[in-house]
Amino acid sequence: MTEAMLEAVKPDDTIIILDTETTGLDHKCEKLIEIAAVKMQGTEIVETFSSLVNPQKPIRHSSFLIHNISEEMVQDAPNIEEVLPRFLEFVGDHAFVAHNAIFDYSFINEAMKATYGKRFVNHRIDTFEMYRSVFPDEQSHGLNALLRRFGYNEDVVHRALDDAMCLAKVYPRLRALYEQKFSWQLSQLKNVPYLMERYIRMQKASQSLQAEMSDLKDIFKMYFQNGGAPVEASTGEVMVFNYRRSYSYNEKQIWEIATEAGVCERIFKLNPRALDKLVERSDIDERFKEAFREARLSMHEARNINFLKPQIVTESPEDSEES
């Protein structure tokens, strides 16, 4: 959720909270098998939508283990061409909220392109990103952890309507905290010169601590390599030692095997930065560049802060003699 979205979608606006279940993880080759949405006005749920979808293809076993939706359960369900118009009528032009929203958006967007030849353009709000922004130190930022954070003990069951209802319970409170954090950040703009000095002090302290921690780790490794036993701290943490092996692979061979096994999405991750360079600055055929551009889902601008080191000007011998 961006700062602009805070202005575009007010807390009392009607919003859609949605969730989907799918045959697999790759939106390019997998399909929707369940789609559900909750319509909220302010903090009140006013309407719900839910439908199974016949994907007309097998459901991956790894996905079945997550949502427990079997092929028998969807064999008599309507196909996406029947479900999508009803879903779009329910959603209207309202912004939608989802946890890890790009996943749900990608599948709905693919269904839109296949059915209508156009994209799903509704504004999206990602509670995963909001949660990570407000509570960056949490070990997990999944929906279960979000529910626990706000005192709900039920577990996510990975059925679309149930999960959308769970997210609807916590979204207003998460948004309120997110807005408080944003408001606090705005209030600090007048203090930027002081905050910069503070940041630089913290950065230097952090670098010093990192260097010292690295030295200590080297000593710990030597201790274990010389037969040392696990060590328990007074606070209960136990320091142990283990080996982790890593291998290099024939990438072409692995790609072929992974494609046949249907596990590409588990071991291959797209490198957007490398792809951007390929599209913008390489000499590959223009038709491939255009195809890559067509596959883009959205555009994000990274805003980076850099601290330039002061340049130290030294006198040359000639300058010294002249002076």
Side-chain angles (χ1 to χ4, degrees):
M1 183 174 178
T2 64
E3 293 87 343
M5 184 60 75
L6 284 172
E7 299 177 359
V9 183
K10 303 299 182 183
D12 57 349
D13 285 349
T14 298
I15 58 166
I16 305 297
I17 297 184
L18 66 83
D19 189 52
T20 62
E21 303 299 338
T22 63
T23 59
L25 299 178
D26 187 346
H27 66 275
K28 288 294 185 181
C29 58
E30 304 297 342
K31 301 294 182 182
L32 291 162
I33 56 173
E34 187 174 38
I35 185 166
V38 172
K39 187 175 292 183
M40 294 186 71
Q41 290 179 347
T43 60
E44 299 296 321
I45 296 174
V46 296
E47 195 176 354
T48 63
F49 172 92
S50 179
S51 179
L52 289 170
V53 182
N54 186 338
Q56 300 178 319
K57 68 170 294 177
I59 298 172
R60 291 190 183 278
H61 183 65
S62 57
S63 295
F64 168 75
L65 293 176
I66 295 172
H67 50 56
N68 290 311
I69 299 176
S70 66
E71 293 179 13
E72 290 73 23
M73 293 169 62
V74 297
Q75 64 183 2
D76 295 325
N79 58 32
I80 191 62
E81 289 78 14
E82 298 175 66
V83 175
L84 195 57
R86 294 190 286 116
F87 167 74
L88 294 175
E89 181 180 2
F90 180 86
V91 172
D93 60 358
H94 301 301
F96 76 90
V97 178
H99 205 67
N100 192 19
I102 188 63
F103 179 86
D104 305 280
Y105 164 81
S106 297
F107 277 90
I108 296 170
N109 190 53
E110 285 298 313
M112 284 283 293
K113 291 192 293 183
T115 306
Y116 299 112
K118 59 182 182 181
R119 293 181 178 273
F120 186 46
V121 297
N122 295 50
H123 285 298
R124 66 176 181 262
I125 299 172
D126 191 346
T127 50
F128 177 86
E129 294 297 335
M130 292 172 67
Y131 184 22
R132 188 163 62 178
S133 174
V134 175
F135 298 105
D137 296 332
E138 295 278 285
Q139 289 186 344
S140 168
H141 292 96
L143 184 51
N144 269 327
L146 179 56
L147 291 169
R148 299 286 186 275
R149 163 58 63 175
F150 290 108
Y152 294 98
N153 293 322
E154 62 256 53
D155 289 322
V156 173
V157 296
H158 294 291
R159 289 300 303 268
L161 184 57
D162 290 327
D163 291 357
M165 294 286 284
C166 284
L167 187 55
K169 293 178 182 178
V170 297
Y171 169 70
R173 295 170 65 183
L174 178 62
R175 172 170 177 140
L177 289 176
Y178 186 92
E179 289 181 322
Q180 288 172 16
K181 177 179 179 179
F182 180 59
S183 296
W184 175 80
Q185 289 174 329
L186 284 177
S187 73
Q188 297 301 309
L189 294 182
K190 62 182 181 294
N191 300 322
V192 164
Y194 162 71
L195 294 175
M196 177 182 174
E197 298 291 340
R198 183 179 176 187
Y199 180 91
I200 291 173
R201 292 198 303 271
M202 293 171 65
Q203 186 181 54
K204 290 179 178 178
S206 175
Q207 290 170 346
S208 176
L209 287 172
Q210 288 293 332
E212 185 174 352
M213 289 171 65
S214 179
D215 287 342
L216 292 176
K217 281 189 174 181
D218 287 340
I219 296 171
F220 297 153
K221 289 177 184 177
M222 292 173 62
Y223 165 79
F224 283 112
Q225 287 168 355
N226 283 278
V231 180
E232 182 175 358
S234 60
T235 50
E237 293 91 340
V238 178
M239 181 172 64
V240 298
F241 186 64
N242 57 60
Y243 291 92
R244 178 182 297 174
R245 293 178 177 176
S246 60
Y247 303 88
S248 60
Y249 291 93
N250 181 315
E251 292 187 14
K252 182 176 183 298
Q253 186 177 354
I254 291 297
W255 178 265
E256 293 171 352
I257 298 169
T259 301
E260 184 179 355
V263 295
C264 286
E265 69 274 9
R266 298 189 195 178
I267 58 176
F268 291 105
K269 185 175 181 180
L270 180 66
N271 185 335
R273 184 172 297 179
L275 182 55
D276 288 341
K277 290 181 180 179
L278 190 68
V279 172
E280 304 302 334
R281 297 196 290 271
S282 74
D283 57 356
I284 65 170
D285 193 298
E286 186 60 36
R287 62 193 174 95
F288 293 120
K289 290 186 178 181
E290 188 58 33
F292 283 135
R293 293 189 187 103
E294 284 294 317
R296 287 171 172 167
L297 296 174
S298 60
M299 188 272 286
H300 303 278
E301 289 186 342
R303 288 171 283 183
N304 299 315
I305 302 298
N306 297 310
F307 293 88
L308 304 179
K309 297 289 185 182
Q311 292 185 348
I312 300 175
V313 179
T314 57
E315 285 188 319
S316 66
E318 292 81 1
D319 293 333
S320 300
E321 292 173 2
E322 290 177 0
S323 61

